[in-house]
Amino acid sequence: MEKIHRDKNLTIDVHADDKAQFQGERPDLEEMMGNLVDNACKWASSRVSIEVVREPTERAGDRQAVRIVVDDDGRGLSPSEREQVAKRGQRLDETKPGSGLGLSIVVELAALYGGSLTLGTAPLGGLRAELVLPTA
């Protein structure tokens, strides 16, 4: 991250439940997290927040999930832009480095595990990416 974003002075806050565990391949989790955090750092003005929590099950027998929330304080995206950026190869700003594949990779990998990626508005003012995955 440092070499890509060395022109920025970012604060990255991380809050993680040490009992939260992903049920899947480590490289897949690293790929998903790397894409989400890289995007947040790329678009943030000065702050990124990462939170990892275990989701309680609502019904007996339901699989538990881990929720990973990555927020930034950048400009954020409109609902139509959020829909567009999750599609393979779609980029909104050609002035920033990237291939337009990062979020679509996250969507595809999450779906393989029965998870999901939701994009919304962060309390910090920028984009919120919520990744929900099965937990061990």
Side-chain angles (χ1 to χ4, degrees), residues 48-80:
V48 172
S49 174
I50 303 165
E51 182 179 25
V52 181
V53 296
R54 274 186 314 164
E55 289 287 297
T57 57
E58 294 182 16
R59 297 178 306 213
D62 281 356
R63 289 176 78 184
Q64 284 197 323
V66 61
R67 179 177 302 272
I68 302 164
V69 179
V70 181
D71 290 338
D72 69 65
D73 67 348
R75 74 167 186 87
L77 297 173
S78 70
S80 63

Side-chain angles (χ1 to χ4, degrees), residues 9-133:
N9 202 6
L10 290 177
T11 299
I12 300 175
D13 300 314
V14 179
H15 304 280
D17 178 344
D18 60 353
K19 292 184 171 80
Q21 295 181 1
F22 168 59
Q23 184 175 336
E25 297 292 323
R26 181 183 183 127
D28 290 342
L29 180 62
E30 290 172 347
E31 179 78 20
M32 290 183 281
M33 288 298 301
N35 284 323
L36 294 178
V37 174
D38 183 57
N39 279 345
C41 290
K42 190 184 307 182
W43 296 103
S45 296
S46 64
R47 189 164 170 227
V48 172
S49 174
I50 303 165
E51 182 179 25
V52 181
V53 296
R54 274 186 314 164
E55 289 287 297
T57 57
E58 294 182 16
R59 297 178 306 213
D62 281 356
R63 289 176 78 184
Q64 284 197 323
V66 61
R67 179 177 302 272
I68 302 164
V69 179
V70 181
D71 290 338
D72 69 65
D73 67 348
R75 74 167 186 87
L77 297 173
S78 70
S80 63
E81 289 173 322
R82 290 192 293 255
E83 201 173 294
Q84 182 180 344
V85 296
K87 294 178 183 170
R88 184 171 284 278
Q90 296 295 308
R91 296 183 61 196
L92 297 178
D93 186 345
E94 298 289 331
T95 66
K96 299 277 188 182
S99 63
L101 298 175
L103 291 178
S104 66
I105 289 170
V106 176
V107 168
E108 291 170 13
L109 281 173
L112 288 174
Y113 286 102
S116 63
L117 175 68
T118 305
L119 302 177
T121 302
L124 299 175
L127 185 66
R128 167 169 277 188
E130 286 189 64
L131 178 61
V132 178
L133 298 167

